[in-house]
Amino acid sequence: MESDLSVKDTLTTEYVGVSESDTVLGAVQLMREERAGCVLVVRGSEAVGIMTEWDVLGVVEDEDDPSEMTVGEVMSSPVLTIETDRSLTDAADTMASQNIRNLAVEENGELVGVLTQRDVIAVAGSFHGATSQPAAEGVGVTNEGTTTLSDEYATNGGEEFSTQGVCEACGTLTDSLQEANGQLVCVDCRQV
């Protein structure tokens, strides 16, 4: 991921907001209309909670009536936030370590948007194979503009590798990947 990208460069400023007294069914209908994986629960301009797809799955699993339950009953609270000037790497690390997919974004204490796991993955994917830094020794640029590594250099620093990344089976950003059936997968997908 490009180190000079900040949260501000990537966040979704048009988030879906609901109140604690809204029904889960109404919030789900908004989520589907807006194609959003979460809604921020706001009181005035302050985010007091977040309701995600996973929270809704809990309602279904418990066989509760989503038209009778309020968002306040199922939301996760408090909402984890990040400032706009933080790096995208910091945001991804926070998501992975806290096992969450969404962060509320604040600037000077004011809610300005949401950073989703999809936003992070989209930006990370757009830099695949690209470099904005000068080529290092042993790295060459071909006439076609693609970067090549000489045989003496290995990706990921040789034998070392990070266990953090995106599960190749379900697309979840996680801090614990392991190889299973030729793919790097998260804990949930390893158990399937």
Side-chain angles (χ1 to χ4, degrees):
M1 202 171 321
E2 193 121 313
S3 62
D4 58 345
L5 279 177
S6 71
V7 168
K8 188 174 191 169
D9 298 326
T10 312
L11 73 108
T12 303
T13 56
E14 295 181 11
Y15 60 89
V16 181
V18 297
S19 73
E20 295 165 275
S21 61
D22 287 340
T23 65
V24 171
L25 180 61
V28 167
Q29 289 167 337
L30 273 174
M31 289 168 71
R32 286 185 50 84
E33 270 178 39
E34 299 297 325
R35 300 187 55 81
C38 69
V39 291
L40 283 180
V41 185
V42 292
R43 196 179 297 145
S45 62
E46 180 186 353
V48 295
I50 188 168
M51 187 181 83
T52 68
E53 298 157 324
W54 285 101
D55 296 319
V56 174
L57 287 172
V59 171
V60 172
E61 180 184 41
D62 294 341
E63 298 180 9
D64 291 324
D65 184 355
S67 65
E68 298 291 323
M69 295 192 75
T70 64
V71 170
E73 293 176 272
V74 300
M75 70 181 187
S76 300
S77 183
V79 180
L80 293 181
T81 61
I82 193 163
E83 286 287 324
T84 56
D85 61 349
R86 297 282 300 275
S87 75
L88 207 51
T89 302
D90 288 345
D93 288 344
T94 299
M95 287 179 180
S97 68
Q98 298 297 315
N99 197 24
I100 58 173
R101 297 178 182 199
N102 309 282
L103 288 167
V105 181
E106 293 182 339
E107 187 170 65
N108 301 321
E110 295 289 318
L111 181 65
V112 294
V114 175
L115 182 69
T116 68
Q117 184 181 50
R118 288 182 183 125
D119 296 332
V120 174
I121 291 169
V123 170
S126 69
F127 290 106
H128 180 68
T131 181
S132 63
Q133 298 175 354
E137 185 178 321
V139 177
V141 179
T142 65
N143 290 338
E144 295 82 31
T146 59
T147 304
T148 61
L149 294 175
S150 69
D151 291 338
E152 65 186 84
Y153 288 88
T155 59
N156 292 329
E159 296 296 316
E160 297 178 30
F161 64 95
S162 172
T163 61
Q164 177 182 330
V166 178
C167 174
E168 293 178 1
C170 69
T172 300
L173 181 65
T174 182
D175 60 350
S176 176
L177 290 172
Q178 288 187 352
E179 185 178 359
N181 297 326
Q183 292 183 311
L184 291 176
V185 296
C186 66
V187 173
D188 294 334
C189 291
R190 283 193 302 266
Q191 296 172 354
V192 174

